[in-house]
């Protein structure tokens, strides 16, 4: 393990594990959910609220693709790196841009060298490669950087997935080499995680895991899930791969998922998560609650004085009713997004807090059962 | 003065005065700036932040017109009144809807009975009168309600302004009568303020003042300013009218204004203000600073690491740079609006805090000179 990141397991229950991930910008208790800060901001919430005990987010994501295009690396460098630029002093992780560019679909062209694509902002032609991604991520200066990978769609055939996996492996090697060069001769302050691909083909996933570990990274991520495949396929891949990932390194499941996904992935040995669901769905009027999803647009909430989630103790649920938040949403008021985002993040982060406590007290199996049962019991009114 | 509202002057300097306005939902130090909470939310900011010591807004506005149309009075009643519905436990003031309807322009038709207009939401035909406004405001339940008035444009001729003023006076009487009936037989928890009209014609303004005071209200407001007239005309009207308004009642200048407007109006004897400038302009990328306005869209701020206002100690200025906020604005991120709104409200509320301190320590003249000088000195870079 590099000096830039240390990881220590402090409890296990079955495949589930809790631990401490130590960065130079603070200690992160795992399993951890990382709010997504696409353009240098977790949409709709101030950093003060992310830091306050109620949420206490120890690490957030930044998207290399978005920040690279706007405001651009020169601006961020001139302002002292990403942390200083945005005013966030806790840990960050940057993705490699690989997935973001892949998700542009028709706008991109993938070659051996890298990915050519048109900016979603101004249509200009751009090019991202393992070397460029490493350079950009080094300039951003997050505690954790990701190897540049290619994603394959959930329904990719074995051949397609294999071609894509081989490319990702070659890019992983190039990522590691470029990363090493960039950080040579100075105390390394950034860690690099490798990404396991292979779509829904378990043999490819195993091969991708083995060969990625062979290249050697500070930790490992499972990429290319939650991209259109069925839920049971996703869980099969996680179940097959997570327990085989190096036990002494953090295991990160990228872009996943719903609260039940998090619980199920933890049960299979995952330590880290990121997902836009709590923020994006919040902006679209959806609240995650202990009894399932609540669509605030629904007319049944017009005069409903109950909080979004009766079991939730967040500042939104302590103060505001479904009726008010629905009114805000119907009126196009920004505060609807602000409140739903806050509640959803509070719900996700609190869930992870409870997951950690459960694992540490050897009650995760029971927690998982009860949590899932309640989730599926439905909203009472 | 009614039991619902008491007002006590605690210091004077020239025409400027500081005082305490006591409502059943807290004491408000005057001169006071009231953030505008149009649809039951001060746009872009959580109530927790409005209450925290940094802003400490003691009273906010609600717009009768907006709330009446959406979510509608039945919903608000079913949820226990406006305070309970929105989750705000401090004082509120509701306008009468008169100005809002007037500002709809072509969509409205004014008769002796009241104003017919089309909803800006769904185009349906609506009707608002002094009686309906009083009823709606009683249901909303703010500590301070406003008489239903008609506004005349800044450039109104003497004849037009007189006709409008006479109508407003008849409506003022009807407002008071309807208000008295609604609150008869119970301890009154709402105060009613009368509104002085007369456009830019000083003789009409004086007459409107005298005859409004004759009807008798818990306090008095100057309406129909900052509606297109020149700045010096507005100040002339305030200078002519404010010192003649009953000294023992709160004097409220409606819909005004910039920080310099506030200072100048305080110097002429005004106690209360409301304005959308800090919130609306914030959403449009404008910051109010101690050295004048700053347009965050300006490319000169691309790598500017200074805070919005170097003299400001608000949480936004302590943490974030112009460069970051500009990036957020250019990226269409909600956080740009959130941060600019917060800073602007902090700046307005801090200005009023300093105004009150200056009056109490008999240094308002000096404060006014220095504050204005600094405002006009321009941003240094």
């Amino acid at each position: 393990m590099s000096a830039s990141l240390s990881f220590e397991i402090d409890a296990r229950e079955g495949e589930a594990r809790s631990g401490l991930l130590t960065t130079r910008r603070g200690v992160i208790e795992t399993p951890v959910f990382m709010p997504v800060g696409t353009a240098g901001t977790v949409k709709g919430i101030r950093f003060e609220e992310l830091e306050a005990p109620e949420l206490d987010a120890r690490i957030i994501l930044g998207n290399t693709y978005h920040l690279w295009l706007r405001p651009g690396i020169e601006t961020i460098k001139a302002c002292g790196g990403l942390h200083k630029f945005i005013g966030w002093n806790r840990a960050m992780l940057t993705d490699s841009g690989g997935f973001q560019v892949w998700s542009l679909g028709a706008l991109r062209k993938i070659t051996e060298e890298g990915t050519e694509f048109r900016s979603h902002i101004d249509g200009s032609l751009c090019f991202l490669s393992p070397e460029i991604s490493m350079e950009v991520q080094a300039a951003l200066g997050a505690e954790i950087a990701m190897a540049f990978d290619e994603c394959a769609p959930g329904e990719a055939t074995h051949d397609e997935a294999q071609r894509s996996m081989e490319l990702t492996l070659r890019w992983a090697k190039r990522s590691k080499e470029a990363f090493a060069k960039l950080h040579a001769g100075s105390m390394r302050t950034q860690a690099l995680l490798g990404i396991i691909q292979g779509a829904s083909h378990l043999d490819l996933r195993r091969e991708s895991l083995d060969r990625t570990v062979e290249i050697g990274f500070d930790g490992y991520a499972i990429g290319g899930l939650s991209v259109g495949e069925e839920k049971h396929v996703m869980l099969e891949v996680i179940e097959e791969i997570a327990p085989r990932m190096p036990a002494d390194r953090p295991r990160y499941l990228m872009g996943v998922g719903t609260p039940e996904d998090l619980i199920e992935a933890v049960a299979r040995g995952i330590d880290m998560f990121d997902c836009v669901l709590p923020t994006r769905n919040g902006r679209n009027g959806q609240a995650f609650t202990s009894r399932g999803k609540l669509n605030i647009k629904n007319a049944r909430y017009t005069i409903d004085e109950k909080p979004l989630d009766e079991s939730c103790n967040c500042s939104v649920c302590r103060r505001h009713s479904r009726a008010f938040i629905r009114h805000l949403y119907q009126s196009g008021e920004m505060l609807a997004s602000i409140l739903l985002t806050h509640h959803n993040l509070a719900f996700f982060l609190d869930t992870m807090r409870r997951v950690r406590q459960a694992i540490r007290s050897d009650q995760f199996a029971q927690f998982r059962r009860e949590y899932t049962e309640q989730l599926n019991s439905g909203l009472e009114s």
Side-chain angles (χ1 to χ4, degrees), chain A residues 25 71-88 139-140:
Chain A
R25 282 195 174 89
I73 292 309
E74 290 317 311
T75 295
I76 294 176
K77 269 187 185 169
C79 293
L82 184 56
H83 290 83
K84 190 146 180 286
F85 175 62
I86 70 175
W88 172 257
L140 293 173

Side-chain angles (χ1 to χ4, degrees), chain A residues 302-318:
Chain A
T302 304
I303 57 168
D304 188 338
E305 296 192 75
K306 291 194 285 299
L308 291 172
D309 184 349
E310 291 184 271
S311 309
C312 178
N313 193 36
C314 85
S315 57
V316 176
C317 287
R318 285 201 308 272

Side-chain angles (χ1 to χ4, degrees), chain A residues 5-6 20-29 58-59 89-91 143:
Chain A
L5 193 72
S6 77
L20 295 176
L21 191 61
T22 305
T23 76
R24 63 170 183 149
R25 282 195 174 89
V27 174
I28 301 147
E29 296 177 88
R58 301 284 178 90
I59 178 168
N89 298 316
R90 296 188 175 188
E143 284 60 46

